[in-house]
């Protein structure tokens, strides 16, 4: 399984209209991949964006859909509401199960770490050791590494609410469960986005 994380930029106040069209687009036989999640960022980002996570069975399917998106005059079926987009390809950490849609939380956190040169292998080793204990506190949607662009990982965490997020993170730090060994040492730059599942999101 491979993943595509797309960031869609929309005209202001057009998200509700765009979601209806996007739902039709993502269920069309003419498009590739499986819709896994669709979120609207809430804190610390540009207003009027959507995050779209799709899964692909293999690299060929992902490449075909990428070519279609890049050569289309209306790549996400949103028409004039779309002002720009960014698409990124990812592979999951090999020890994690595939993303499964379901109800896990009312808020999601997307954390992306740009890694130092050579930092991916030790980062994944630390995660493999730490994730089982960490996910006993609350599940992890996925952690994945970039197949294009700068060396990076992106991990997605669901939480019941923002207060629960703070409590879970505090407990993981106090108990020494998190961060993973070799994690912070290999981060060159980090970003965090809080996003809310949209009505069309299989992950909610």
């Amino acid at each position: 399984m491979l993943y595509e994380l797309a960031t869609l930029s929309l005209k202001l106040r057009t998200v509700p209209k765009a979601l209806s069209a996007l739902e039709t687009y993502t269920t069309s036989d003419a498009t590739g991949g499986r819709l896994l999640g669709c979120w609207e960022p809430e804190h610390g980002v540009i207003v009027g964006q959507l995050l779209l996570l799709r899964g692909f069975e293999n690299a060929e399917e992902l490449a075909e859909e990428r070519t279609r998106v890049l050569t289309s005059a209306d790549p996400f079926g949103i028409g004039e509401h779309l002002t720009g987009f960014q698409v990124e390809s990812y592979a999951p950490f090999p020890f994690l199960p595939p993303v499964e849609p379901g109800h896990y939380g009312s808020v999601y956190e997307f954390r992306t770490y740009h890694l130092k040169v050579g930092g991916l292998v030790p980062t994944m080793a630390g995660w493999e050791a730490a994730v089982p204990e960490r996910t006993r506190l609350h599940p992890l949607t996925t952690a994945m590494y970039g197949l294009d662009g700068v060396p990076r990982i992106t991990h997605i965490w669901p939480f019941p609410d923002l207060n629960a997020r703070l409590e879970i993170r505090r407990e993981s730090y106090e108990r020494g469960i998190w961060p993973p060994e070799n994690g912070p040492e290999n981060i060159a730059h980090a970003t965090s986005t809080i996003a809310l599942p949209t009505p069309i999101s299989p992950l909610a």
Side-chain angles (χ1 to χ4, degrees), residues 100-139:
E100 284 297 331
H103 295 277
Y104 303 102
S106 64
V107 299
Y108 280 69
E109 182 175 19
F110 290 71
R111 296 180 74 89
T112 295
Y113 299 156
H114 291 189
L115 301 177
K116 297 177 181 178
V117 175
L120 179 59
V121 171
T123 294
M124 286 199 296
W127 274 68
E128 186 171 14
V131 159
E133 189 67 22
R134 172 61 180 81
T135 52
R136 290 190 179 98
L137 298 179
H138 207 69

Side-chain angles (χ1 to χ4, degrees), residues 29-173:
D29 292 337
T31 62
R34 175 192 180 196
L35 177 64
L36 297 172
C38 180
W39 299 266
E40 184 174 4
E42 180 67 18
H43 296 289
V45 294
I46 299 172
V47 175
Q49 289 187 331
L50 290 172
L51 299 176
L52 191 69
L53 181 69
R54 292 189 290 169
F56 295 83
E57 292 296 330
N58 51 56
E60 290 74 19
E61 184 184 30
L62 175 58
E64 289 177 4
E65 176 64 3
R66 180 63 51 81
T67 298
R68 193 198 63 76
V69 165
L70 294 175
T71 57
S72 173
D74 187 11
F76 295 94
I78 301 175
E80 63 179 4
H81 305 312
L82 184 69
T83 62
F85 67 90
Q86 175 180 311
V87 283
E88 301 173 287
S89 302
Y90 286 93
F93 285 11
F95 50 86
L96 294 178
V99 174
E100 284 297 331
H103 295 277
Y104 303 102
S106 64
V107 299
Y108 280 69
E109 182 175 19
F110 290 71
R111 296 180 74 89
T112 295
Y113 299 156
H114 291 189
L115 301 177
K116 297 177 181 178
V117 175
L120 179 59
V121 171
T123 294
M124 286 199 296
W127 274 68
E128 186 171 14
V131 159
E133 189 67 22
R134 172 61 180 81
T135 52
R136 290 190 179 98
L137 298 179
H138 207 69
L140 166 69
T141 298
T142 193
M144 49 195 184
Y145 61 92
L147 298 174
D148 46 19
V150 301
R152 70 193 184 282
I153 66 170
T154 292
H155 39 120
I156 306 171
W157 299 87
F159 296 99
D161 52 47
L162 289 177
N163 288 332
R165 171 185 174 271
L166 292 174
E167 293 171 0
I168 291 168
R169 288 173 59 83
R170 184 182 300 113
E171 181 178 353
S172 70
Y173 294 151

